[in-house]
Amino acid sequence: MDFSSIFSSLGGGVFTLIAFVVVISVIVAIHEYGHYIVGRWSGIYADVFSLGFGKVLFSRVDRHGTKWQVAALPFGGYVKFRGDADAASGKDGEAMVGLSDAELRHTMHGAPLWARTATVAAGPLFNFALSILIFAGLAMSVGVEKSPLTVGEVIELPAGTGDLRAGDVLLSVEGLSLDGSEGLRTTFDALKTNSALLSYEITREGQEMTVLGPQLQPALVSAVSPDSAAYEAGLEEGDVILSINEEPISYFGQLIPIVEASAGAPLNLMVWRAGAEMPFVLNAQRRDLPTADGGFETRWLMGISGRYAFTPLNEAVGPVEGLTLGFNATKRVITQSLSGMYHMVAGKISTCNISGPIGIAKVSGQAAQGGISDFISFIAVISTAIGLMNLFPIPVLDGGHLVFYAYEAIFRKPPNDTWVRGLMTIGLGLILSLMALGLFTDLVC
């Protein structure tokens, strides 16, 4: 039984809601636990650790005096430290009156600056750590593509697979080198032929030979992106696109100019699936995509990824390399997110790139239907995004508190309580405005 079949008897809306709640609960639990555990290590006591808001469904008090609870609305959570007036860590002036120096030391507002800073920063950092560990774990479980490129399993294709076999080490295709990533990119750019079978230079059992094999990168769907045109149309992993608008398709690169030229107009696809030909109609979606130079480009996309005509043989990845890959993947999500925000503020790309709760919930369900690996990877991406968002210098968010602490470090005194309360109100207004914008784009875009 695959991951999505666990909920096969549920309606799409219920499945999506469950997936969304799981994503939010995991990320919030890690974020708030970061605050809690670093606070405890630094001597700041927590009164409440809550998953969800509203009516308390279950609770218990641990030996440290912290009340752990699960509330009815599972769309967030918080840690309420001693001395806090609310979940946003506003100061409870009345509760602070009359406390001894020792008691003040265990409150959020009476602890040393270093302890408060570490406690607040821990939430986003734990989100980043979760993302790194997930990406590292996925890399270690799957491995990385072996070099030189080696055939693992040959995939069934409409035109057959020629003489290519598992274990073959690929040297060139049609005389074009496959040495390293640069060689592969050059080959993909130059290998534009409609022939069903191509000439492969290979090494097999230590002997170099030439054999016939399929298109190196046929119009074979390796993955369907959540919330994409292909997903909505019903395309699946393993499909082979035979034609678009009756124009024959031989290799994946042929799809790009046709889809771009459609500008969202209906595309009639003939697809080969498990030996049968099936028609599909889809409308490509407009997307703003990051470029290598840090900018963005607008393109029309189906929402599918291509692959080789075979499954490449992978080799194992150790913990150090896995963590390096995890760190780089998390860094890439952060970099692209910041670039996207800048380009939206500058008016260079559409605000439709913002997803609100409906959009995130929808993609959560689609990622869960894609399998456990897709779902866990999606959690890592959202965890990075939540960690990054919480570092924005907006009062109410962790980044806003860190700005207050920076002020205190520079001027040797905390900011005025009245000013802090006013800024917190403004910050809350900004957050609600961003949420409203996200909801608007979910409904309109």
Side-chain angles (χ1 to χ4, degrees):
M1 179 180 290
D2 62 32
F3 182 68
S4 61
S5 67
I6 296 174
F7 301 102
S8 60
S9 62
L10 299 177
V14 175
F15 181 89
T16 295
L17 181 62
I18 291 174
F20 179 60
V21 169
V22 170
V23 170
I24 295 300
S25 297
V26 169
I27 293 172
V28 168
I30 292 297
H31 180 95
E32 299 302 334
Y33 187 75
H35 289 316
Y36 164 78
I37 194 63
V38 173
R40 201 181 85 186
W41 289 340
S42 59
I44 301 174
Y45 294 167
D47 291 332
V48 180
F49 186 109
S50 180
L51 278 182
F53 298 95
K55 181 179 175 59
V56 177
L57 303 177
F58 167 81
S59 68
R60 73 175 185 86
V61 178
D62 67 14
R63 61 188 179 88
H64 300 288
T66 301
K67 180 183 179 182
W68 297 75
Q69 65 184 37
V70 176
L73 298 175
F75 303 113
Y78 61 90
V79 176
K80 183 175 179 294
F81 289 103
R82 195 156 299 177
D84 285 349
D86 48 45
S89 287
K91 185 177 180 180
D92 187 346
E94 293 183 6
M96 301 283 286
V97 174
L99 295 181
S100 66
D101 289 343
E103 290 171 326
L104 282 171
R105 171 60 181 83
H106 297 305
T107 68
M108 172 59 85
H109 306 277
L113 181 59
W114 68 265
R116 287 177 277 143
T117 302
T119 300
V120 169
L125 292 179
F126 268 53
N127 281 135
F128 297 147
L130 173 64
S131 301
I132 292 170
L133 290 175
I134 287 176
F135 286 132
L138 291 173
M140 292 171 65
S141 64
V142 175
V144 295
E145 192 175 290
K146 189 174 182 179
S147 183
L149 187 58
T150 304
V151 178
E153 177 185 358
V154 181
I155 298 169
E156 184 181 1
L157 294 170
T161 58
D163 299 318
L164 210 59
R165 300 180 189 173
D168 288 347
V169 178
L170 307 187
L171 305 177
S172 69
V173 179
E174 294 291 311
L176 299 169
S177 173
L178 297 176
D179 184 23
S181 59
E182 289 297 328
L184 279 171
R185 276 194 291 270
T186 301
T187 298
F188 287 143
D189 290 340
L191 194 61
K192 298 178 179 178
T193 173
N194 294 327
S195 300
L197 296 176
L198 307 178
S199 174
Y200 281 74
E201 294 289 336
I202 67 167
T203 299
R204 179 182 294 168
E205 298 178 354
Q207 300 294 319
E208 289 192 11
M209 61 182 71
T210 300
V211 299
L212 290 177
Q215 283 279 348
L216 180 61
Q217 195 177 37
L220 174 63
V221 178
S222 68
V224 178
S225 300
D227 199 25
S228 67
Y231 184 93
E232 298 296 337
L235 292 187
E236 298 177 359
E237 179 183 350
D239 287 348
V240 180
I241 299 174
L242 301 177
S243 67
I244 299 184
N245 294 339
E246 299 185 353
E247 180 177 341
I249 301 296
S250 299
Y251 56 92
F252 196 86
Q254 284 179 286
L255 300 172
I256 298 172
I258 296 174
V259 174
E260 284 284 352
S262 75
L267 294 169
N268 296 292
L269 279 63
M270 185 59 66
V271 172
W272 185 87
R273 179 182 294 173
E277 295 187 7
M278 306 171 63
F280 291 88
V281 179
L282 61 76
N283 298 73
Q285 296 176 349
R286 183 181 183 273
R287 291 284 190 258
D288 296 309
L289 302 178
T291 57
D293 61 1
F296 274 79
E297 62 178 359
T298 300
R299 294 178 55 189
W300 292 91
L301 301 175
M302 295 169 60
I304 62 173
S305 302
R307 64 182 299 175
Y308 301 128
F310 51 85
T311 301
L313 192 64
N314 286 352
E315 52 189 0
V317 171
V320 173
E321 186 177 359
L323 287 171
T324 301
L325 292 171
F327 175 83
N328 290 336
T330 302
K331 178 182 175 183
R332 187 161 53 250
V333 174
I334 293 173
T335 301
Q336 292 179 355
S337 297
L338 290 174
S339 178
M341 292 171 195
Y342 165 75
H343 283 81
M344 273 188 284
V345 171
K348 297 180 179 180
I349 61 175
S350 170
T351 54
C352 285
N353 289 279
I354 296 176
S355 290
I358 296 175
I360 295 173
K362 182 179 180 181
V363 178
S364 297
Q366 293 174 355
Q369 290 175 338
I372 186 66
S373 179
D374 288 349
F375 187 58
I376 292 176
S377 181
F378 179 71
I379 289 176
V381 172
I382 298 300
S383 182
T384 302
I386 294 295
L388 178 63
M389 183 187 73
N390 270 278
L391 286 177
F392 289 172
I394 300 174
V396 178
L397 297 180
D398 296 329
H401 289 289
L402 293 175
V403 170
F404 294 149
Y405 297 156
Y407 176 95
E408 185 176 344
I410 294 170
F411 294 101
R412 305 298 181 185
K413 63 178 181 180
N416 181 276
D417 286 345
T418 302
W419 278 99
V420 169
R421 285 193 294 271
L423 290 171
M424 295 278 275
T425 301
I426 294 172
L428 180 60
L430 287 172
I431 295 300
L432 293 175
S433 298
L434 287 173
M435 292 176 64
L437 176 60
L439 184 60
F440 175 79
T441 61
D442 285 343
L443 297 174
V444 174
C445 298

